[in-house]
Amino acid sequence: MPRGTGKRYDEAFKKETVKYIAENNKSVAQVAREMDINENTLYKGYCRQNADIIR
């Protein structure tokens, strides 16, 4: 199975998603369901990389 066939999002989208989580006091799981993004992808790929936005 070839890798890299999933959806790709740019850095601006990732930062806005993390900002949305922080500003709306929503859980990563809830936002992942709303945006149809895997919860682990959202947490590990977005939140950890943009932790400065959350704090």
Side-chain angles (χ1 to χ4, degrees):
M1 177 180 226
R3 293 188 63 131
T5 58
K7 297 177 185 176
R8 300 282 182 203
Y9 299 103
D10 62 6
E11 287 300 314
F13 177 81
K14 293 176 183 181
K15 287 184 180 191
E16 286 299 315
T17 302
V18 174
K19 189 175 174 182
Y20 176 78
I21 292 168
E23 289 178 351
N24 292 290
N25 293 326
K26 292 189 175 187
S27 70
V28 172
Q30 185 176 3
V31 173
R33 284 190 300 271
E34 290 175 6
M35 302 183 88
D36 195 30
I37 300 172
N38 182 283
E39 183 179 341
N40 288 326
T41 300
L42 183 55
Y43 180 74
K44 292 179 181 176
Y46 297 13
C47 294
R48 283 187 181 171
Q49 290 176 356
N50 296 292
D52 57 317
I53 294 172
I54 296 173
R55 294 183 187 142

